[in-house]
Amino acid sequence: MNSASRKGIGMTSERTRRRLIDRLRSEGISNSRVLEAIAATPRHLFLDEALGSHAYDDTALPIGFNQTISQPYVVAIMTEAILHPGCHKVLEIGTGSGYQAAVLARLVDTVYTVERIRPLLDAAVERFQKLDIRNVYCRHRDGFEGLPEHAPYDGILVTAAPAEIPQALLAQLGEGGRLVIPVGDRYAQDLRVITRHGDEFEERRLERVRFVPMLDGLS
Ligand code: SAH
């Protein structure tokens, strides 16, 4: 590619990124820190080059192994939902491309993220290195067990859908911590936000979403 066309892509990407932010705002995303974090995260670098021209469309896209990078609108509502004044340490279940973790990394001190598919995890680690993101720690784990050795978390964000809320994740939430999780069957789920107050868990439902299923075991 010559330098002129490379520059062309750069300009397009800046304009299309801006357009994405305007769209998210019009869809009701009002937290300016979340919008800024999305604007600053180069989604095209979390996708196969062939899909680059769609990187700033507000849609989920394939990342291989039957998995998808989440739709930016869904990343935005989940990120808005998890943030609270004491939110410094977050666990993500389902690293996938690493995009959601990269957005979170701009908003909290530390992000732990677990993924069950080894090659996806390895590719995400490489992206974090390339982008010089140093506060995301990746582990090859089954997210149904959470990541007990670094618990408690101020927030746990789940980007694959279980049929029911895994108890291990509730147990790893700290006081005032929030679990943001899609719960349902493989066709549609309710996005739920569960906040811990001592031994009580308060639940709020956001909207209907569609995530890939949360699966048992490593691969
Ligand atoms: N957050 C990702 C979305 C990836 S899609 C992104 O921003 O790109 C959901 C991911 O969850 C997939 O990569 C899938 O392999 C992973 N996943 C599904 N079940 C899991 C489990 N039990 N433990 C860990 N990861 C899981």
Side-chain angles (χ1 to χ4, degrees):
M1 190 190 293
N2 62 37
S3 72
S5 55
R6 205 177 296 134
K7 205 154 137 205
I9 285 177
M11 281 161 57
T12 308
S13 149
E14 203 177 306
R15 213 182 311 130
T16 49
R17 265 198 235 190
R18 213 6 79 198
R19 207 179 298 142
L20 171 62
I21 299 308
D22 291 344
R23 175 164 177 173
L24 295 177
R25 203 180 276 119
S26 76
E27 285 173 329
I29 307 300
S30 58
N31 185 320
S32 57
R33 292 184 65 226
V34 172
L35 289 168
E36 275 161 29
I38 290 175
T41 306
R43 192 168 182 253
H44 63 284
L45 299 182
F46 292 83
L47 287 164
D48 208 75
E49 255 178 60
L51 290 169
S53 61
H54 295 287
Y56 300 96
D57 292 356
D58 190 19
T59 52
L61 292 166
I63 55 171
F65 303 90
N66 278 330
Q67 305 303 322
T68 54
I69 184 172
S70 306
Q71 178 191 353
Y73 172 71
V74 174
V75 170
I77 54 173
M78 292 179 89
T79 308
E80 268 194 340
I82 204 165
L83 290 180
H84 56 92
C87 192
H88 306 298
K89 183 170 78 169
V90 170
L91 171 65
E92 179 196 26
I93 308 296
T95 314
S97 68
Y99 177 70
Q100 169 75 71
V103 170
L104 283 169
R106 295 188 158 268
L107 296 162
V108 302
D109 296 339
T110 311
V111 180
Y112 292 94
T113 179
V114 303
E115 170 58 57
R116 62 181 287 279
I117 301 178
R118 181 99 232 181
L120 285 178
L121 188 71
D122 291 345
V125 168
E126 226 171 84
R127 291 185 183 113
F128 298 138
Q129 281 168 354
K130 199 163 141 194
L131 292 167
D132 203 26
I133 296 172
R134 299 178 189 197
N135 57 337
V136 177
Y137 300 91
C138 303
R139 299 284 184 271
H140 186 218
R141 289 292 187 82
D142 179 349
F144 277 106
E145 287 157 26
L147 191 63
E149 61 267 45
H150 296 288
Y153 301 97
D154 305 316
I156 302 179
L157 192 153
V158 184
T159 67
E164 282 166 29
I165 295 173
Q167 289 305 308
L169 300 185
L170 292 175
Q172 291 170 33
L173 267 188
E175 177 59 27
R178 295 185 189 174
L179 170 63
V180 180
I181 184 168
V183 183
D185 61 27
R186 64 167 51 240
Y187 303 106
Q189 307 99 29
D190 289 318
L191 189 58
R192 304 194 197 176
V193 183
I194 292 130
T195 305
R196 179 172 203 154
H197 307 286
D199 291 333
E200 308 270 300
F201 294 91
E202 172 200 325
E203 185 179 305
R204 178 159 79 82
R205 288 185 192 205
L206 300 181
E207 42 202 275
R208 295 289 278 174
V209 287
R210 185 169 184 186
F211 277 85
V212 295
M214 191 162 164
L215 301 174
D216 278 322
L218 300 181
S219 83

